[in-house]
Amino acid sequence: MSEQAVATTVVRNDSQHRYEVWYGNSLAGFTEYRERDNDTVFIHTEVDSAFGGKGLGSALARRAIEDVIGRGRVIVARCPFIKAWLDKHPDYDEHVVGKGIKR
């Protein structure tokens, strides 16, 4: 299968409290979260090194953040990867505690 033909999908797995990034039929990584009140707290992210260099971590972060926002929730970035991704994408600041949301 050619590199361009492999689909990348991100799904929310509520039972495991994580968003998963799939590369074709392979689970390539995930970001774990906890929900409390209206907050979605990102706590840990992993992408398998076998899938490095494909932009999967960025795709995972973007789609997870957009899903949280789409559900009307607030983002708390405890995970260093998600925090770093958000620092590079200030267009999401209004939805992030410690940035656009002050407490």
Side-chain angles (χ1 to χ4, degrees):
M1 182 178 281
S2 76
E3 195 72 26
Q4 286 133 351
V6 178
T8 298
T9 54
V10 175
V11 297
R12 188 176 73 234
N13 181 335
D14 290 326
S15 67
Q16 297 212 13
H17 305 287
R18 67 187 195 178
Y19 288 87
E20 300 171 340
V21 62
W22 291 80
Y23 188 72
N25 293 323
S26 300
L27 176 62
F30 59 87
T31 185
E32 294 178 317
Y33 65 87
R34 297 295 177 261
E35 292 189 336
R36 136 182 113 225
D37 301 322
N38 197 42
D39 294 352
T40 296
V41 183
F42 287 95
I43 58 173
H44 179 72
T45 302
E46 287 184 29
V47 175
D48 189 316
S49 60
F51 298 95
K54 299 182 186 317
L56 300 180
S58 185
L60 172 61
R62 178 178 306 279
R63 293 183 193 152
I65 294 302
E66 289 178 352
D67 181 70
V68 169
I69 293 168
R71 293 186 300 129
R73 302 187 59 81
V74 173
I75 298 156
V76 179
R78 299 272 184 255
C79 166
F81 181 85
I82 296 294
K83 183 178 182 325
W85 189 90
L86 285 165
D87 286 345
K88 294 177 192 168
H89 298 86
D91 40 320
Y92 296 101
D93 282 0
E94 68 183 277
H95 304 283
V96 181
V97 172
K99 291 182 176 251
I101 297 174
K102 305 297 181 202
R103 291 194 179 151

